[in-house]
Amino acid sequence: MQTAHALDQKNLQSGEEQFLTFRLDGQDYGMPILKVQEIKGWDKITPIPNSPAYVKGVLNLRGVIVPVIDLRLRFGLPGAERDALTVVIVANVRGRLAGIVVDAVSDVINVGAEQLCEAPAYEGQENREFIKGLAQVDGKLLVLLDIDRMVNPDSLDKSAAAASVAATR
């Protein structure tokens, strides 16, 4: 039996890749669909002391402790109130799960090689390392993220370890 992801991937044209698109502070972003484990509605997160500001805490996902990153704070954007549209994208990052808080999930789209372009380089662009590229889709510019580079495994390990220690007390 094939998963929905596997079936969707078979229907792609040569050179196309699928991305989950989402909104953050009015901008459209995308991440490779194959990195997405699941999408959860916003729920209570357990804060972990001494974590970076962008690591909001952890959640228990069916017995697995998952660090949760607020993408707004990771990108230096202003914080926002969480509402019914706010979701946590649970992504597989180098074999570990990480929750990524975004304003809203939009769609799954196919992006062909002809739609891709490099992000321009300019002075003082701190988050450039997280950008895989740009894509022109339906008249909108989509920022494609490199999730593996964006999520710092050291921060995730420290948060998960602190949560495990707190749980044993």
Side-chain angles (χ1 to χ4, degrees):
M1 179 127 191
Q2 292 182 319
T3 65
H5 286 319
L7 291 173
D8 287 343
Q9 290 296 319
K10 276 187 165 182
N11 293 329
L12 291 177
Q13 300 291 325
S14 177
E16 283 188 339
E17 189 176 355
Q18 285 191 316
F19 289 88
L20 174 69
T21 62
F22 55 89
R23 304 232 357 126
L24 195 64
D25 198 33
Q27 173 64 48
D28 293 307
Y29 292 86
M31 65 182 288
I33 191 70
L34 294 177
K35 293 284 184 183
V36 178
Q37 183 88 19
E38 68 181 83
I39 299 170
K40 291 183 50 64
W42 177 249
D43 201 1
K44 183 166 173 42
I45 305 295
T46 303
I48 300 298
N50 298 322
S51 294
Y54 63 85
V55 178
K56 299 311 291 176
V58 295
L59 61 84
N60 185 335
L61 185 65
R62 294 178 296 284
V64 177
I65 302 299
V66 179
V68 178
I69 294 168
D70 187 322
L71 205 52
R72 281 178 164 266
L73 298 180
R74 183 73 169 122
F75 286 174
L77 299 170
E81 288 295 316
R82 302 302 176 201
D83 60 25
L85 295 177
T86 303
V87 297
V88 177
I89 300 170
V90 179
N92 187 326
V93 181
R94 298 185 199 128
R96 294 192 174 118
L97 296 182
I100 301 167
V101 181
V102 300
D103 295 347
V105 169
S106 304
D107 205 356
V108 175
I109 60 164
N110 296 343
V111 176
E114 72 283 353
Q115 295 170 291
L116 296 174
C117 58
E118 296 253 348
Y122 56 86
E123 194 71 29
Q125 187 179 8
E126 296 174 9
N127 291 326
R128 175 66 175 94
E129 65 183 289
F130 307 142
I131 299 174
K132 193 176 197 176
L134 301 172
Q136 186 73 33
V137 180
D138 296 331
K140 293 189 286 188
L141 199 56
L142 183 67
V143 179
L144 304 177
L145 299 178
D146 184 338
I147 298 300
D148 288 334
R149 294 186 74 183
M150 185 184 72
V151 177
N152 182 339
D154 294 335
S155 297
L156 298 183
D157 288 343
K158 288 177 188 171
S159 298
S164 296
V165 168
T168 60
R169 290 185 182 172

